């Protein structure tokens, strides 16, 4: 009986010590709670079925960001990757879906090329319109990105890839919806203080899509001209810039 009592007391003491150590690790840090809303029309898409019940001939991989696989529809000088397209395509298209989850990344700085920005903290959710909580954040000022992981790619520390739909946190005056914008140069910062919890909402638009196509500087007015390009622009995981047209189907 005494041995059992001593054992129980030991377990109790150790559990308290563990809780104290955990609290110490979190002491002086802050928490961010982000409600991420992805349109129901794209939640769970593409899931390998290549079906979509929306607009006629809808393009999930727009030509503006690298092509929807329909080579004949692309401007001269663009080089689309082998990716998904709508079911009306006669092309042989292949691609890989992403996690099909919502993700949140925190950055200390932001550039137009998204993979130039080291991810400081992250969180994810398999549930749409839910809250993604990131705790243990060092007090400071951060840019916040939410994205729906539509297409696979990226790397282990940053899976935000071309064709993913996204929203950046912005001050209300610079936002297109609530506190959300696709324009990296309109992105605002949040400040997280010690022992503070900040709550925000980011609304992803189905047309706020990451990426830029590869292009060169040949004369675009003469598509059959074989003039050799002097400059080739290698694009990729680029945010939209203020003033650029948002892709449309």
């Amino acid at each position: 009986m005494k041995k059992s009592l001593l054992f129980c007391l030991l377990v109790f003491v150790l559990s308290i010590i563990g809780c104290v150590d955990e609290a110490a690790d979190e002491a002086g840090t802050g928490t961010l709670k982000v409600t991420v809303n992805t349109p129901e029309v794209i939640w769970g898409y593409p899931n390998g079925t290549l079906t979509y019940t929306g607009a006629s001939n809808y393009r999930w991989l727009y030509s503006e960001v690298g092509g929807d696989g329909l080579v004949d529809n692309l401007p001269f000088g663009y080089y689309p990757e082998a990716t998904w397209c709508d079911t009306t395509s006669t092309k042989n298209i292949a691609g890989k879906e992403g996690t099909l989850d919502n993700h949140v990344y925190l950055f200390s700085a932001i550039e137009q090329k998204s993979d130039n920005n080291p991810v400081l903290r992250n969180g994810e959710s398999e549930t749409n319109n839910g809250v993604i909580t990131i705790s243990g954040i060092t007090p400071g000022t951060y840019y916040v990105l939410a994205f729906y992981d539509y297409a696979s790619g990226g790397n282990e520390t940053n899976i935000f890839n071309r064709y993913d739909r996204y929203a950046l946190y912005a001050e209300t005056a610079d936002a297109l919806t609530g506190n959300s914008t696709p324009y990296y140069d309109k992105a605002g910062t949040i400040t997280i203080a010690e022992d503070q919890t900040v709550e925000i909402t980011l609304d992803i638009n189905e047309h706020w899509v990451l990426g830029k196509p590869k292009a060169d500087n040949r004369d675009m007015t003469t598509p059959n001209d074989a003039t050799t390009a002097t400059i080739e622009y290698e694009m990729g995981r680029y945010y939209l810039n203020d003033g650029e047209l948002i892709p449309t189907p």
Side-chain angles (χ1 to χ4, degrees), residues 64-236:
E64 295 95 329
V65 296
D68 54 12
L70 303 180
V71 178
D72 295 339
N73 292 346
L74 297 175
F76 183 73
Y78 282 44
Y79 305 93
E81 298 178 352
T83 43
W84 296 293
C85 64
D86 67 288
T87 55
T88 64
S89 172
T90 59
K91 306 293 182 183
N92 183 16
I93 304 301
K96 294 182 179 180
E97 63 195 50
T99 64
L100 309 185
D101 297 334
N102 285 332
H103 296 255
V104 171
Y105 283 174
L106 268 62
F107 310 104
S108 61
I110 192 166
E111 298 180 23
Q112 188 173 14
K113 194 171 188 299
S114 67
D115 47 343
N116 281 351
N117 308 309
V119 179
L120 301 180
R121 299 301 302 271
N122 66 83
E124 62 185 274
S125 175
E126 297 178 354
T127 303
N128 194 19
N129 308 318
V131 178
I132 296 176
T133 300
I134 303 175
S135 58
I137 302 172
T138 301
T141 300
Y142 299 92
Y143 292 92
V144 185
L145 162 74
F147 66 96
Y148 171 64
D149 185 29
Y150 161 74
S152 66
N155 53 54
E156 292 183 0
T157 59
N158 186 346
I159 66 170
F160 184 42
N161 197 41
R162 189 189 294 192
Y163 314 121
D164 287 343
R165 273 47 174 187
Y166 70 93
L168 291 162
Y169 175 80
E171 298 296 335
T172 303
D174 292 324
L176 296 188
T177 302
N179 284 109
S180 307
T181 184
Y183 301 129
Y184 91 99
D185 50 344
K186 291 291 187 179
T189 58
I190 60 167
T191 298
I192 299 178
E194 183 176 323
D195 300 323
Q196 179 188 28
T197 296
V198 176
E199 299 185 33
I200 62 173
T201 297
L202 289 175
D203 300 302
I204 296 172
N205 185 292
E206 61 259 44
H207 305 310
W208 294 358
V209 55
L210 184 73
K212 296 285 184 181
K214 298 177 182 179
D216 60 45
N217 68 337
R218 281 179 283 190
D219 185 359
M220 301 291 280
T221 63
T222 55
N224 296 321
D225 185 1
T227 303
T228 301
T230 57
I231 301 175
E232 182 175 292
Y233 302 95
E234 181 74 23
M235 306 299 274

Side-chain angles (χ1 to χ4, degrees), residues 40-54:
E40 291 298 329
V41 72
I42 65 172
W43 181 255
Y45 195 87
N47 68 40
T49 65
L50 294 179
T51 59
Y52 178 70
T53 58

